[in-house]
Every structure is written in structure tokens, then in C-alpha cells.
Amino acid sequence: ELKVEQNPLFLSMQEGKNYTIYCNYSTTSDRLYWYRQDPGKSLESLFVLLSNGAVKQEGRLMASLDTKARLSTLHITAAVHDLSATYFCAVTSWNYGGSQGNLIFGKGTKLSVKP
Amino acid sequence: EPEVTQTPSHQVTQMGQEVILRCVPISNHLYFYWYRQILGQKVEFLVSFYNNEISEKSEIFDDQFSVERPDGSNFTLKIRSTKLEDSAMYFCASSEGGGGQPQHFGDGTRLSIL
């Protein structure tokens, strides 16, 4: 069974600081996703990481993937209040000849950036 | 930019009643999904649908649930005999291909069972 664990689950940061959210998953998966969710809203796709060593950056967020360690990180640089949201990582259970790629989500990291 | 649309945005229903949640996936997408999120918890996979049949379903998706693509555009989730614990946000998603292609999510339907 594919399991996804995120930590921390809650993160309170001051503006201007850096921090990293970690996402571990339990079995082989070659696609990892990061989503952002604002309260009461839908899931906004941030990054899709497709291969070992993949690194993607968008503004103050940078995501990386280490498939050997089964670990992805979401690094926040110089946080601003607008980044306050819940961040989910998700992996697919897809494998060759397997499923259609339904997403297995972590519990999410609720980020609060304070002035 | 094309988007997945869901209706209604909020549905309030008495326990034991049937509800139908509607979704219009992105037009050229072939794979459709339903997920749910109980308040404050993680997003959970319910079912995937391709070529007019269920591809996969989770343990949550029992006989109480069914999905249908009644026409070329809509994708529906029916919940029969609703229970209090069915209260959640239900998200529809679609993707152009399977095999882990990026999924695009709708804004969700908040289902409240009284």
C-alpha cells in the first residue's frame, strides 16, 4: 500500500525566513505532485516532478525529488504572508501495467506566515 | 484556460437521501476522478473512470456510491442513502491521459448531511 507522509503538519513562520517541507512516500512512484490549497478552495497545482533529481522553482517555492530516498522537499525562501496556505504532496500509484494514476495525498502542511 | 467545473458548490441534504454531484471535466480529457476531503483532513481518492467504466476505486467507494458519464460532457457522482459521515468536500478532477498525467481539480462541492 502506498503511503505518503508529510512533515511538519503545521508550520508557523515569520516573513523573510526560509523553511523546508518534507514529503516521504513508501513505494516506488515516478511522479510526485505539490498542490496548494487555500481555506475552502480547490487544489492548485504547483509542481509536477517526474524524475530523480528533478528540481523546479516558481517564485519563492522550489521543489525537488529524490526517488532513491523516496523524498521530495518543498523549500520556501523569504516567506511572505501570501504563501499562507496548506500544501499537499501527492504521488501516483501508477506503474507499468497498473492503475490509471489516482493520487495518494499526504496529510498536508498548514503554513502560516506572520509579519 | 480550460477548467473543471462542479455543481452545486454547496449541497445540504437530509440523512438517508440521495445526492448527485455534477462535474464537467476539461473537454479533451479522457480520465476522470472523484476525491473527497473531510474537513481538516487529507484528500482521499474515491474512484477513477475511463472509457465509460470504472478503472479503480478505493475502499471508501462502496455500494453506496456510483459514477456515471450520462452524456459527452458531464461526469456525476451519486451517493445513495447518505450518512452523516459523508459530509465532506467532494472534488472532481480530470486528466488528458492516464499513468499519472497531471490532474486538474474543480472547485469542489461541499456536501453537508443533516
Side-chain angles (χ1 to χ4, degrees), chain B residues 73-92:
Chain B
S73 60
N74 290 285
F75 179 50
T76 62
L77 174 68
K78 182 188 290 186
I79 310 174
R80 289 180 283 275
S81 189
T82 49
K83 299 175 280 196
L84 293 176
E85 52 264 39
D86 294 328
S87 295
M89 183 74 94
Y90 288 81
F91 291 106
C92 174

Side-chain angles (χ1 to χ4, degrees), chain B residues 7-8 12 17 20 24 27 33 55 63 72-73 77-79 85 89 94 97-98:
Chain B
T7 55
V12 182
Q17 297 296 307
I20 297 176
V24 179
S27 62
Y33 309 84
S55 305
D63 292 343
S73 60
L77 174 68
K78 182 188 290 186
I79 310 174
E85 52 264 39
M89 183 74 94
S94 68

